[in-house]
Every structure is written in structure tokens, then in C-alpha cells.
Amino acid sequence: MTAMSLSPERRSMIFWTGCAMIAVGVLLHVPMLAEARAMGNRLVGMPADAPMIGGMVLILLGAPLAFFGALAGKRVHVGEDAVRFEAQPNTPIGAAQIVVLLVLVIGLVIDVMKPATLGFVLPGLAREYGISKATAALLPFCALTGTTVGSFVWGWLADAYGRRTSIILSTILFVSTSICGAMPAFWLNLVMCFLMGASAGGMLPVVYTLLAEIMPPRHRSWVLVLVGGSGLVGGYLAASAAAHAFEPSYGWRSLWLQGFPSGLLLLALSRFIPESPGFLLAQGDVEGLARLERRLGIVEVKPDMSVAHVAPPRGQLTAALVVAAVAWSFINFGLLLWLPADLQQRGFDSAAASGVLAKSSLIALPTIALTAWLYSQWSTRWTLVAMLAVMLAGLLGTLLPPPVLARQPILMTVIALLIIGTNGLIAVLLPYAAEITPLARRGSGTGLIAGSSKVGGVAVQGFALAGLIPTLGGAAIGLIAPTIAAMALMAWAGRETHGTTLAALETG
């Protein structure tokens, strides 16, 4: 029997059987974690017991089974006519749209919790395994590498098998890797952290892709920025709250296990996540399209054949977004992380350095709200250019003569410009990529930008492991040219997406 010949009921049964095996497999790791409570929550060097081995076997068998059940017979080619199905520009945001938004925000919160937990895990992990900070840095290196790979893989899956399917599969991998805290050896933590990062890397770009295709054009811009920002902030808050509640009593290992109930929650809520209308059309699912029309007001949009369409310079636009994402990643994961050490080298003590950074952050705090307003009410294209310009001003500020930069008001302004520029840019970069990329490549295109925004993080961690930490000025000099290039390309090749239907953006 081939995958194509399997009935939807049989595929569903295979999928949920795999999910059940994963759930039982994770639960079989809990007794070993419970036993460790009497030993100060330490598992280092402990041999795996029979339930743990059985649990790992179930997960290793259940995950491929669930993937097969979700993917079998679903690969389709999305035709050009599929872009004509979307909500009318003035369709209001109703209860059905709000439910979808809430579920996707919950998904992003759960997704962001995993990488956000790394900072709370590292100190306890280093102590238990008796490793140096340099060795412990392999954990975030593996996680960031996983998120980079995941951005590309899940984006491709979203284009080949559907947006909803990609979100569900990343959730399954998310649940499977919640056993990371039960790993008795450091190298096993590295493997699990890579897989965990891979599961987390694809959720954000695919959520943006799906929202771009189901939200009314009039509301699309602000919804994309709001959902992404809420998920990011909520994820960091949830991670810090979990660390505060569980780590003192149950140790750092318990923080990884929170992915199990939260992932199951998202799987249970997945019934409220719609599939992209383009994939329903490609699959010939007329009933599914009718449901989308009733729930979300998505209908066939007739293109205006009286207007002469000119193909936009997509290659240059993609290059602008990639360069902007890479430059952002080096500033966010490198320049801003190196600031405390650089400030201390400039003569500030640790308390003063922290105070300068805190004051600069307070100045930049309203950035996301302001950026969301500019993006949705002013211009999507020029908001991107403006954020790149602010980021460039911060980079140029770091090159001021040391006596000038040593003055606290000037230093705070330079740091605030960097924080405002980076926060504002990342708030709109992926939403814009999801809006501007053609339907057939929207998942992989948005995934490309998401992966590019992690490249700097992987490189910076690699530099740190090799003991190569550049000066603040040296790093800024290297980033000025790419930032100017991204600004110029965006100003030239960028297109306005505010209030524009995807059909119009697709045709030119």
C-alpha cells in the first residue's frame, strides 16, 4: 500500500498513534527525574534505567510515524491561480479570526520559551557537568545552529506540504525534545538542544506566512507585527516565570520538561489552525475552501486585467532582506552582547555599565509599539528603511572619538539608537518577507530571512568558542557597509504592502 492510497482516516490514525507513542515515551523519563530529586536533582553519570530506554525507543519510533501520518500523500504543487483566494480588503476582524490569532500567539509563546530558557539553564548545567564556560557555550551554539537549519527546513515543508502541517510537525519535534532535561551526559544535551532549536526555528516564519494568507489586507500589517511581538515577549516572560517557579526546587533539568504539557496543549488547539487557501485549492478541497469562506471570509479574488502589471525586482528585494537580516543578527547577537565588556574596558565599572545599558533600554522600550504603528499606518517599505537608518546611526555613533563617546548622554544615545534600530527592524522584517514573497515560495522565502537572522548568532558563538572577540569599533566598521547596502536595495526595490491584496503583490 502506497502513501497516496492511504485514506485520510488511516493517515490520521497513524499520526495520532505516533503522537501517543511520543507522549508515553516522554512520561517514561519522568521517574528518573523524580529519583534525582533526592540527589539534588543531579543525573550526571547515572546509567539509563529500563523505563528511560523504553521511552527513548518509543520516541524514536513514534516521531517518524507521526511525521509519516502528517505528510503521507499531502505534497502538492500550488498553482499561480491559488493566490486569488484571500479575504476581501475590508473584511472585519471577527471571533473566528481572534481565535486563530490567540492560538498562534500561544504557539509562538511556547516556541520562544525553549531558546529563552537557555540563559536560565546554563549556570546549573555547567556546575553539574563540571565544565568551563567555554565548553558550556557549545549549548547555545548547537541551539542557534538548530534554529538556523529549522528555519530553512520548516519553510520548505510549509511550501511543499502546507502551513498547518509544518506548524504541527514542529510541535511534535518540540514535544519529543522535552526529554532534554533527562539526558545524563553533556553530549546528549547538545544533540537534543540542536533538535530543540530545529523545532523552534521554523514556527515563527511559518506563522507569519499563514497569517499573511488568511488575514484581511486592511488588517494584515498590524496583525503580523502584533502577533510576532506578543509571542516573543510572552515567550521570554513565560521562560523567566518558569525558571523562578521551578528551578529553585526542581533544578535546571525541570525547565526543559515544560515543553511536554505546553506542546500537547498546542497539538490539542491545532484544530483551530486553518490551512492556507492555496493548499486547499491545490488539494481540490472544495469543502475546506467553503469552511474558510464561512469562518474567515476568504473568497476568490478576481484580478484586475485592465491594469498592466510589471514584475517587481524580486531578486534585489530578496537580497536586501537577506543582507538586512544578516547585519541585524551580528548586531543583536554580537555587538549588543559585547557592549558590557566593552564599556568596562572604557573605564566603567560593572554597575555603571549595567546602568548605562538599562537607561538606554528604557529609552528604546516603546520601539515595538511605535514600529507597529508606523508599519501599519504609514508605510511598510519605508518603515524598514527607517529602522535600518536608525541602526546605521547607532553603528556610526560607535566610531566617535573615545573622549566624546565616554560622555554618558552621548553613549546612552548611541546605545539607544542600536537598540531601537534592532528591535524595530526585527519586528517588521519577517512580516514584510511574508507579505512580499510569492505564494509558491512564501514559506521557504520567509524561512530564508528567518534563517539569515540567526547566521550572526551562530558565527558569534563560533568566534567566542575560538576566543575571537572583536572590538566594538571593529565590529561596527564591518557592519556599516552591509547596512547601507540593505537600505539602498530596499529603497530601490522595495514595494509598499500596506492594505494591498496578495494578488496585487503577486502580479506586480
Side-chain angles (χ1 to χ4, degrees), residues 168-389:
I168 290 174
L169 290 181
S170 65
T171 304
I172 290 171
L173 189 57
F174 187 80
V175 172
S176 302
T177 55
S178 62
I179 62 170
C180 183
M183 298 295 103
F186 179 59
W187 72 269
L188 288 172
N189 278 268
L190 296 181
V191 173
M192 296 303 296
C193 214
F194 172 83
L195 293 173
M196 191 186 303
S199 69
M203 182 77 77
L204 189 61
V206 177
V207 165
Y208 280 135
T209 297
L210 178 60
L211 284 174
E213 294 169 351
I214 64 174
M215 284 293 122
R218 179 183 173 188
H219 304 288
R220 190 177 60 229
S221 297
W222 70 262
V223 164
L224 287 170
V225 177
L226 178 66
V227 168
S230 300
L232 289 169
V233 173
Y236 283 105
L237 287 175
S240 58
H244 178 74
F246 299 117
E247 188 178 14
S249 300
Y250 301 99
W252 64 271
R253 294 180 179 274
S254 65
L255 300 183
W256 292 134
L257 197 60
Q258 64 188 334
F260 177 61
S262 56
L264 290 183
L265 171 64
L266 186 55
L267 276 178
L269 294 173
S270 64
R271 63 188 295 267
F272 297 106
I273 301 175
E275 184 51 274
S276 163
F279 278 85
L280 294 177
L281 179 66
Q283 291 170 343
D285 190 350
V286 178
E287 183 181 340
L289 284 170
R291 284 197 301 270
L292 279 185
E293 181 176 356
R294 290 193 300 270
R295 288 180 58 200
L296 304 175
I298 291 174
V299 297
E300 183 175 2
V301 178
K302 301 292 183 181
D304 186 355
M305 303 306 294
S306 65
V307 178
H309 296 296
V310 180
R314 297 198 187 278
Q316 294 89 331
L317 181 52
T318 300
L321 294 173
V322 169
V323 172
V326 172
W328 175 88
S329 68
F330 274 98
I331 294 172
N332 185 69
F333 294 110
L335 211 66
L336 291 177
L337 290 180
W338 296 326
L339 266 176
D342 189 86
L343 290 175
Q344 291 181 44
Q345 288 178 0
R346 293 173 184 269
F348 292 89
D349 59 36
S350 58
S354 299
V356 169
L357 289 171
K359 292 173 184 175
S360 302
S361 299
L362 284 174
I363 295 172
L365 191 59
T367 300
I368 291 180
L370 175 61
T371 306
W373 184 85
L374 290 172
Y375 189 79
S376 62
Q377 301 298 320
W378 175 47
S379 166
T380 56
R381 171 192 185 184
W382 293 109
T383 298
L384 264 169
V385 174
M387 291 302 113
L388 284 165

Side-chain angles (χ1 to χ4, degrees), residues 111-116 118 139-155 173-174 190-205 236 328-329 333 430 446-459 461:
D111 183 64
V112 172
M113 281 174 67
K114 283 277 185 173
L118 275 171
L139 200 71
F141 177 76
C142 289
L144 279 169
T145 303
T147 58
T148 305
V149 173
S151 296
F152 300 127
V153 171
W154 297 117
L173 189 57
F174 187 80
L190 296 181
V191 173
M192 296 303 296
C193 214
F194 172 83
L195 293 173
M196 191 186 303
S199 69
M203 182 77 77
L204 189 61
Y236 283 105
W328 175 88
S329 68
F333 294 110
L430 288 181
T446 309
L448 170 65
I449 307 306
S452 300
S453 71
K454 315 248 185 5
V455 166
V458 176
Q461 289 294 330

Side-chain angles (χ1 to χ4, degrees), residues 87-101:
Q88 293 288 339
N90 292 322
T91 301
I93 296 289
Q97 285 91 346
I98 291 173
V99 169
V100 174
L101 293 178

